[in-house]
Amino acid sequence: MTPRPVLVTGGAGFIGSHLAQALVSRGHQVRVLDVLDPQVHSSNGSAPKTPAGVEMLRGDILDEDLLRRALIGVEVVFHQAASVGVGQSMYEPAAYTRVNSLGTARLMEQIAARGSKVEKVILASSMSLYGEGKYVCAACGPAAPPPRRRDGLIPGRWEPECPGCGADLAPAPTDEGKPAAPTSVYAVTKRCQEETVLVMGRAYGIPAVALRYFNVYGPGQSLSNPYTGVAAIFASRILNGAPPLLFEDGRQSRDFVHVSDIVRANLLAMEKPQADYQVFNVGTGRRVPLLDLASGLLGKLAPETELSPEIVGSFREGDIRHCYADIAKIRQALGFAPEVSLEKGFDDLAAWARTQRAEDRTGPANAELLSRGLLH
Ligand code: UD1
C-alpha cells in the first residue's frame, strides 16, 4: 500500500513502539509524540524505545503548539498515549482525566482544525470500559450483574451473582454491544476518549475507529512499573525470586492478547474502510484464569524454582472478575484473527524478560493502595 505520513501518540510506550516499528517497516513516514513518563521509562527494565527511522517529538499531549507541530502533514493518527494504571487512577483521578480525557479532546481539537490533513484516527480503547464482562445464569439465562459489592467480597464471595436468583454466574464472551459500565476512573477516561473521537470524527467527517484492547502482553512491557498489566508484574516478581501475588482466589480471568496481534489490528483499522466509525474488541476469545498465567510464567521463567503463586485473598477496588472477548465483529469486518498462542506468547515474553533488569516495585504500590483503602 502507498506509504503515508502517520503520527503515533505514546509511540515510545509498550504498544506504541511496536506499532511505530511495524509502520516504519511497511514504509510509512512515522512521527512519534511521547512524554516519556518516568513511571514507564525508568532506567531499569524499559529504556525509551524509538525505532530507527522514526521522528521523535517529546512532550505533553496537552501542549497545543507541540500538537500542531506533531500533526503537520499527518494523514493517520494512532492515539496510544495514556496513563494506564487501573489502581492508580483511583487515587489520582484528576491526573488520569487530564492526560486521557482532556488530552484526547485537545488532540481532536487540532485534528478537526482548519488545515489539518488527518483522514483517520485510530484510538487505543480498552475492554475496561465494559466493567464486568458478560455472564450467563444457568437458571435465568444472560445476565448483566452490577459491580460486585464490598460486603460480599470481604467474606470472599468472588463471583458476581445473578440479579434474578442470586446464583453464581458463569462468564460468557463479551461483545461490543455490552453497555459500558466502568468500575475505575481509568475506565471512565477510556469511555470518554472513545466517545470524544467518535463524536468529533462524525461531526467533522474524519473516520474514527476505537479498538478495545483486552489485556495486552509481550516484549517491551515495562517490567519496573508496578501499575502496568499483571503479566509484566508477575514476570518482574519471578525474575526477582518472589512469588506472583494473586488477588482474590486467583480464579478471576482475562483475555491475554499478544502485542503483535494488537499491531495487526491497528494496521487493518488503517487500511480497511469497513473500520470507519466503528468500535472493535481486540482480544483472542480465550479466557485465562490468573492462576494459569502465574503458573505458566513460573514454568517459563523459573522452571527449577520452588516458588509457587501466592493467593493473598485481598481484592483491589475497581477490579472486575471476568472479561474475555467475543471477536466475531473484527473477524467479520476486518478479517482479523489472533495469531499468537498463549504458549508461544509466554515464550516470547519470557525470552525478552530474561534479558532485562526488572525492579519489583509491587510492594510499595500495593502499600499505597492499602493506605488509601483501595486494597481490602
Ligand atoms: C488491564 C490494563 C488496562 C487495559 C486493560 C485492557 C493495566 C494496569 N491495566 O486492566 O490498562 O486497558 O487491561 O487491556 O495495565 N492482579 C493480581 N496480582 C497482581 C496484579 C493484578 O492478581 O499483582 C489481578 C487483578 O486483581 C486483576 C487481574 O490481575 O484481577 C488483571 O489486572 P491488571 O493487569 O491490572 O489488568 P486490568 O484491570 O484487567
Side-chain angles (χ1 to χ4, degrees):
M1 82 166 293
T2 341
R4 303 179 80 180
V6 306
L7 172 69
V8 184
T9 71
F14 164 44
I15 299 172
S17 59
H18 281 275
L19 182 57
Q21 182 68 72
L23 288 159
V24 168
S25 62
R26 282 165 181 74
H28 298 290
Q29 278 163 258
V30 183
R31 190 177 292 145
V32 156
L33 173 63
D34 200 297
V35 72
L36 299 180
D37 179 354
Q39 181 168 295
V40 180
H41 300 276
S42 64
S43 52
N44 297 321
S46 169
K49 321 167 242 321
T50 316
V54 163
E55 179 191 348
M56 175 76 193
L57 293 180
R58 180 176 184 172
D60 193 334
I61 191 77
L62 280 111
D63 179 337
E64 279 177 66
D65 285 340
L66 187 63
L67 274 179
R68 259 192 290 274
R69 272 196 284 139
L71 286 167
I72 292 171
V74 163
E75 291 177 7
V76 182
V77 176
F78 295 89
H79 184 30
Q80 311 291 307
S83 296
V84 297
V86 171
Q88 193 177 35
S89 76
M90 301 300 281
Y91 63 85
E92 292 183 8
Y96 272 70
T97 303
R98 176 187 175 278
V99 172
N100 297 0
S101 305
L102 187 56
T104 301
R106 192 140 298 162
L107 174 67
M108 289 309 294
E109 209 166 79
Q110 294 300 328
I111 287 174
R114 205 167 286 137
S116 155
K117 293 196 164 50
V118 175
E119 293 168 4
K120 194 177 251 195
V121 184
I122 299 161
L123 171 74
S125 183
S126 166
M127 63 47 121
S128 65
L129 60 73
Y130 292 123
E132 285 294 344
K134 276 198 162 181
Y135 288 87
V136 63
C137 168
C140 311
R148 296 177 296 169
R149 288 162 48 120
R150 198 181 299 173
D151 56 2
L153 289 168
I154 285 170
R157 279 206 58 123
W158 305 121
E159 299 299 337
E161 291 163 20
C162 173
C165 69
D168 281 357
L169 293 168
T174 299
D175 60 67
E176 293 83 352
K178 155 119 193 3
T183 58
S184 68
V185 171
Y186 169 76
V188 170
T189 67
K190 281 286 154 186
R191 175 165 76 173
C192 178
Q193 287 190 317
E194 228 186 55
E195 290 177 349
T196 304
V197 300
L198 289 166
V199 164
M200 291 282 289
R202 269 186 226 110
Y204 287 87
I206 302 165
V209 187
L211 298 178
R212 295 179 174 169
Y213 301 164
F214 279 62
N215 293 61
V216 189
Y217 73 99
Q221 205 164 5
S222 179
L223 292 179
S224 302
N225 176 4
Y227 303 100
T228 189
V230 66
I233 289 175
F234 285 177
S236 171
R237 301 258 317 158
I238 296 165
L239 289 171
N240 282 284
L245 298 179
L246 286 151
F247 296 133
E248 307 185 19
D249 60 354
R251 292 191 168 78
Q252 66 271 42
S253 61
R254 296 290 189 277
D255 183 335
F256 291 93
V257 55
H258 192 269
V259 64
S260 61
D261 283 326
I262 294 287
V263 167
R264 283 186 318 97
N266 273 277
L267 298 175
L268 288 167
M270 170 170 74
E271 288 157 12
K272 304 240 174 189
Q274 296 91 317
D276 297 358
Y277 305 110
Q278 297 295 315
V279 303
F280 295 103
N281 285 342
V282 192
T284 66
R286 176 185 54 208
R287 188 169 82 80
V288 179
L290 269 283
L291 207 46
D292 294 1
L293 173 77
S295 328
L297 288 176
L298 269 168
K300 298 287 180 196
L301 280 166
E304 310 293 322
T305 186
E306 293 187 353
L307 286 178
S308 56
E310 192 177 314
I311 292 168
V312 288
S314 48
F315 66 93
R316 289 191 313 198
E317 208 55 60
D319 266 349
I320 54 136
R321 181 68 176 169
H322 304 287
C323 191
Y324 69 109
D326 179 328
I327 53 171
K329 184 176 175 187
I330 191 166
R331 197 188 285 278
Q332 276 153 22
L334 308 186
F336 170 84
E339 285 179 1
V340 183
S341 68
L342 207 54
E343 179 68 21
K344 155 111 187 31
F346 281 177
D347 278 340
D348 197 31
L349 176 64
W352 170 80
R354 268 193 233 101
T355 67
Q356 304 294 307
R357 264 185 63 211
E359 206 177 308
D360 173 23
R361 301 197 189 123
T362 48
N366 288 343
E368 179 83 55
L369 291 181
L370 199 59
S371 74
R372 292 170 186 271
L374 297 170
L375 186 66
H376 306 279

